[in-house]
Amino acid sequence: MADAPGGDKKGWKPATQAVRGGLMRSQHGEISEALYLTSGYAYDSAEQAMRRMAGEEEGFVYSRYGSPTNEMLQQRLALIEGAEACRVTGSGMGAISSAILAPLKAGDRVVAATALFGSCRWIIANQMPKFGIEAVFVDGADLDAWKREIDKGCQLVLIESPANPLLDGVDIEAVARLAKAAGALLVVDNVFATPVLQRPLEMGADVIAYSATKHMDGQGRVLLGAILTDAKRMSDVYDPWLRHMGPAASPFNAWVVLKGLETMQLRVEAQSRTAARLADVLADHPAVNAVRYPHRKDHPHYEVHKRQMKSGGTLLALSLKGGQDAAFRFLNGLQLVDICNNLGDTKSLACHPSTTTHRALSDEDQAAMGLDRSWVRLSVGLEDADDLEADLLASLNSL
Ligand SMILES: *Cc1c(COP(=O)(O)O)cnc(C)c1O
């Protein structure tokens, strides 16, 4: 397999990397990335098998360790992000659970923002203590709380910004400085922003984790995750974990995401434009209590989002005056937008976080992240903005 001419040029801009980065063409010269479905690899000799297994010779040995299609995707993602190394996993949670568990041991202490994706919160709150790792949650917007808890001693910090479900913002640069001073690793879940809108490595993060299921596939087809970090940490900390724990990604799913990445920037920019317009329209409706959109001035973390993100992103949340009853009637009245807890899809999707994605949290824990039963989360897709606006307003008007 020969590298495409210039196939890994470091100087290309992210949009070019998203289309051409990591491309490895076979002897057939295919234009579109090849899909290699194989679990094992034939060696020329027993000696070669020995050298490959010992890591003395480049080459694939088993698809739990690495495979050609996955390798193309890893290189492409690393080049888009500006990271030294990337590994893909079977789902976003496969990536994030590995990103936060592999570096830790009993006796360590983790500090995380209260507003997190439900499963990330579950791992930290319920799983880490089982392994003797102390877990503390802080209000992500409260820098004094971050400083107080990180300074008590801490090995790993996890943040998500914008966070599920109300698009809370965390000042990544400020938390990165605190983590660095304490010798803690900063892991950022950058799913909502995507590398198109936010670059946490440039703000001091050590590890970036993605659910590629969202905007990277972007068309609602497959699950996949990714971990990005420097080459040394990848080979020392994550490679052994990933090999032996086994959250490997299917090459088919990796291939789907490779193709999804080629249109990611266009999609994210277009979906963000529509989301910004819809946020303004919804905020003016009499049935709506409040709208949360990262680049609207009435978002409590507007300043942070404005500084960190190129645009407000593809997600917004709205609170309805009639509580859960109104939220359910609003969702049930939508004709175009689907009711679905996925996000980042070309199809617009809406959900009721309190009773779906965040239902495992008690009312008190939900309240601690500002969530109550009046909120609906909307992931804005690629449909015509006029059609989306008409659908949302028709359902609101019928309440
Ligand atoms: C979806 C999501 C995840 C988990 O990803 P999966 O691909 O569903 O496993 C983690 N974090 C955030 C912010 C997400 O939106």
Side-chain angles (χ1 to χ4, degrees), residues 21 50 56 62 73-74 79 84 101 147 194 198 207 224 242 249 264 267 273 322 326 328 339:
M50 182 178 70
E56 294 161 9
Y62 188 53
L73 175 58
Q74 289 172 171
L79 288 160
E84 287 176 8
L101 287 168
K147 181 162 171 42
T194 81
Q198 182 167 275
V207 181
L224 195 115
L242 295 171
M264 176 173 66
R267 285 184 283 102
R273 268 196 306 279
F328 274 29
I339 303 172

Side-chain angles (χ1 to χ4, degrees), residues 91-93 96 117 160 189 191-192 211 213-214 223-224 343:
S91 70
M93 284 320 303
I96 297 166
F117 185 73
E160 186 185 317
D189 175 339
V191 171
F192 276 33
S211 166
T213 313
K214 313 295 167 55
L223 281 96
L224 195 115
L343 60 96

Side-chain angles (χ1 to χ4, degrees), residues 267-280:
R267 285 184 283 102
V268 167
E269 286 172 356
Q271 290 169 227
S272 296
R273 268 196 306 279
T274 305
R277 168 176 151 186
L278 294 176
D280 290 342

